[in-house]
Amino acid sequence: DTGVSQDPRHKITKRGQNVTFRCDPISEHNRLYWYRQTLGQGPEFLTYFQNEAQLEKSRLLSDRFSAERPKGSFSTLEIQRTEQGDSAMYLCASSSTGAIGNTIYFGEGSWLTVV
Amino acid sequence: AQSVTQPDIHITVSEGASLELRCNYSYGATPYLFWYVQSPGQGLQLLLKYFSGDTLVQGIKGFEAEFKRSQSSFNLRKPSVHWSDAAEYFCAVGSGGSYIPTFGRGTSLIVHP
């Protein structure tokens, strides 16, 4: 069990540029979640996948944001035309389905700074 | 919609003292409740969770939490705090088939020597 892995850990980008984050979940987990966390706040849900299907999206996920999980394994979160308000930590998490009570495991997060 | 309130933004305790972090939730049915801890610049680690059964839940690192339906609360406790417990603590509530947790804004724990 290598845990949830996120890359890059830190990204500084200029406003208007596109950025992409990658998440590799725990290998046997079929659910994958993306959250966003700003300073002094708790994580806010963005979207989640079960296998390759994107089952739920938050209204926080504007049309500049797109998430994919093409083969039901790793996932990418792309932000187009970044704005300063996008500066945050983007957290990925994974879990398995099945019995109630499955633990959701979080990665270390990807910090985005938009300048 | 489900929501979580953590009324204390900061809590300061002395090392060795007991700790209680408050959490109140809002959800119509039986909630699934979690406490996570986050060290600076890091991801979240699950301390404990409640889904059903015994309302007193034991977690890692000596933490426990008690689910009180009548008070809509799920407070986190530790009898003796260590300096390494200084971190941000998040309470979360999940529900429905997706069990997607909704997080509170967190409580920052400061431990004095």
Side-chain angles (χ1 to χ4, degrees):
Chain A
D1 178 357
T2 58
V4 178
S5 177
Q6 294 189 242
D7 182 70
R9 292 293 315 281
H10 300 88
K11 179 73 176 179
I12 300 174
T13 190
K14 292 183 178 180
R15 188 175 52 187
Q17 297 294 304
N18 299 344
V19 296
T20 299
F21 299 111
R22 176 182 169 121
C23 172
D24 288 273
I26 294 171
S27 58
E28 65 269 25
H29 286 179
N30 57 356
R31 285 191 173 181
L32 187 148
Y33 311 76
W34 284 101
Y35 280 78
R36 181 178 71 183
Q37 185 179 20
T38 53
L39 284 175
Q41 300 297 317
E44 297 172 293
F45 170 73
L46 292 178
T47 188
Y48 99 98
F49 294 83
Q50 182 160 311
N51 299 313
E52 65 275 10
Q54 189 173 16
L55 296 187
E56 192 166 334
K57 292 194 289 187
S58 162
R59 58 183 171 80
L60 293 176
L61 209 68
S62 76
D63 56 6
R64 296 186 297 106
F65 287 69
S66 63
E68 295 183 344
R69 194 182 184 197
K71 297 183 179 179
S73 56
F74 74 92
S75 175
T76 57
L77 176 68
E78 181 184 18
I79 309 174
Q80 296 181 324
R81 305 181 303 281
T82 53
E83 302 173 354
Q84 286 188 324
D86 297 331
S87 296
M89 182 160 69
Y90 291 86
L91 289 160
C92 179
S94 70
S95 71
S96 58
T97 52
I100 291 174
N102 288 315
T103 298
I104 297 176
Y105 294 89
F106 281 83
E108 299 279 290
S110 292
W111 281 100
L112 173 64
T113 301
V114 181
V115 297
Chain B
Q2 61 202 36
S3 66
V4 174
T5 301
Q6 293 182 249
D8 304 305
I9 297 175
H10 303 282
I11 290 280
T12 301
V13 298
S14 297
E15 191 169 16
S18 63
L19 170 70
E20 182 170 31
L21 301 182
R22 296 184 291 166
C23 172
N24 293 96
Y25 67 90
S26 174
Y27 181 63
T30 300
Y32 308 120
L33 296 159
F34 311 84
W35 274 100
Y36 283 85
V37 62
Q38 184 179 38
S39 297
Q42 303 298 312
L44 284 80
Q45 181 183 22
L46 181 70
L47 287 175
L48 48 78
K49 60 186 179 183
Y50 170 80
F51 279 75
S52 64
D54 193 344
T55 56
L56 185 62
V57 181
Q58 301 297 320
I60 62 171
K61 304 184 180 186
F63 286 93
E64 67 177 26
E66 186 170 12
F67 170 57
K68 293 185 177 180
R69 184 187 301 275
S70 61
Q71 299 177 17
S72 298
S73 70
F74 189 57
N75 294 349
L76 182 71
R77 301 192 294 249
K78 186 169 185 178
S80 177
V81 171
H82 188 262
W83 64 267
S84 61
D85 293 324
E88 194 82 16
Y89 290 80
F90 294 95
C91 181
V93 61
S95 63
S98 60
Y99 314 124
I100 299 171
T102 297
F103 286 83
R105 64 173 297 166
T107 296
S108 178
L109 176 63
I110 301 165
V111 181
H112 281 314

